[in-house]
Amino acid sequence: MSHSHAQGPDLRTQAIVRELAVIHELAAKDHQVGEPGLYSRIMVIVDGNIPAEGDSDNCYLTPVAAPRSGQGYYTLTATEGAERPREISLDEAKLSQQDSEVTTLLDAYEWIADQGFKVAAQSIQVILISNIGPCTGCKARLQIFYRDLLAAAGHSGSQVPITVESIYNTPEASLDRTRGVNKVPTTYGYPDAVNASHTISGQQVALWIYRLPTRS
């Protein structure tokens, strides 16, 4: 499979918009039965190489994960999985344990740990792309994922800088909602996300971008 070499923000933005279009096409089908769920995929850009579908040698694009497909290490409820932070209630963890990000984060982590650190010479950019910003539980999962990546980098001897971002496009940067029969409050998206509007093929596209604070 071929992949593109980044020459600035334009190619990266075009790739993100391309993937958002795929995600929104899937989410639009959910409108027929109610509110759309959160679909997600992760783009791993290594040394400026922007992945396309099927790339896995020098960069990576996870499959699109659907709502209620999450399982594995990042559920925050599994006995042998990532530990639930104190600020995330058990109710929140249980309500969001099957969210699409759960599977997507593990998929990206495994590729980076198995392949990414071997090929990265300059940088690794991890971009979580979704139609709606992550909920409170999944924002915590993204932080844990970032911490895990840095630990894995240390074990592998890799010293390349790693950045992690969440990018989505909704009318608001964040939206307060409740989930479940107990009406557990959660916030989708980041209140301090940065709005970046672009014109792609004559169409105005508004992106919300949140870069996690750099960890070391």
Side-chain angles (χ1 to χ4, degrees):
M1 293 288 181
S2 62
H3 52 264
S4 302
H5 288 271
Q7 299 174 350
D10 288 345
L11 285 178
R12 186 184 112 123
T13 300
Q14 289 174 20
I16 291 166
V17 171
R18 174 193 72 204
E19 300 310 329
L20 278 168
V22 172
I23 287 169
H24 275 283
E25 183 176 355
L26 293 169
K29 297 176 181 178
D30 286 356
H31 276 295
Q32 299 168 10
V33 293
E35 291 188 17
L38 190 151
Y39 287 78
S40 65
R41 80 186 317 175
I42 285 179
M43 179 182 294
V44 184
I45 301 174
V46 179
D47 296 346
N49 293 318
I50 299 174
E53 198 81 48
D55 283 342
S56 62
D57 291 337
N58 301 297
C59 47
Y60 188 56
L61 187 66
T62 71
V64 176
R68 297 170 294 282
S69 66
Q71 57 183 325
Y73 185 80
Y74 289 109
T75 59
L76 301 185
T77 58
T79 303
E80 298 182 359
E83 184 177 348
R84 175 174 56 87
R86 290 183 178 179
E87 66 271 17
I88 301 300
S89 69
L90 183 57
D91 282 345
E92 171 74 40
K94 287 181 176 179
L95 282 168
S96 60
Q97 64 184 344
Q98 289 188 305
D99 284 0
S100 62
E101 295 98 324
V102 175
T103 292
T104 306
L105 290 170
L106 182 58
D107 189 356
Y109 173 85
E110 290 179 340
W111 183 85
I112 294 168
D114 292 343
Q115 177 74 4
F117 292 133
K118 296 177 183 176
V119 298
Q122 299 171 352
S123 64
I124 295 177
Q125 300 176 53
V126 180
I127 305 170
L128 172 64
I129 303 170
S130 61
N131 55 313
I132 308 168
C135 70
T136 300
C138 287
K139 287 197 281 283
R141 292 180 175 96
L142 194 58
Q143 292 278 6
I144 295 168
F145 162 82
Y146 192 7
R147 180 197 67 198
D148 290 347
L149 276 187
L150 294 175
H155 291 314
S156 72
S158 174
Q159 296 183 336
V160 298
I162 302 170
T163 56
V164 176
E165 296 173 271
S166 172
I167 298 182
Y168 49 96
N169 60 333
T170 56
E172 306 90 2
S174 63
L175 183 64
D176 295 330
R177 300 292 295 271
T178 58
R179 299 181 73 169
V181 294
N182 293 331
K183 302 294 183 182
V184 176
T186 194
T187 299
Y188 289 92
Y190 295 87
D192 48 353
V194 175
N195 182 268
S197 295
H198 297 273
T199 301
I200 307 291
S201 301
Q203 185 176 10
Q204 188 78 358
V205 179
L207 304 179
W208 293 104
I209 302 174
Y210 180 81
R211 176 175 288 190
L212 272 63
T214 303
R215 301 177 65 109
S216 58

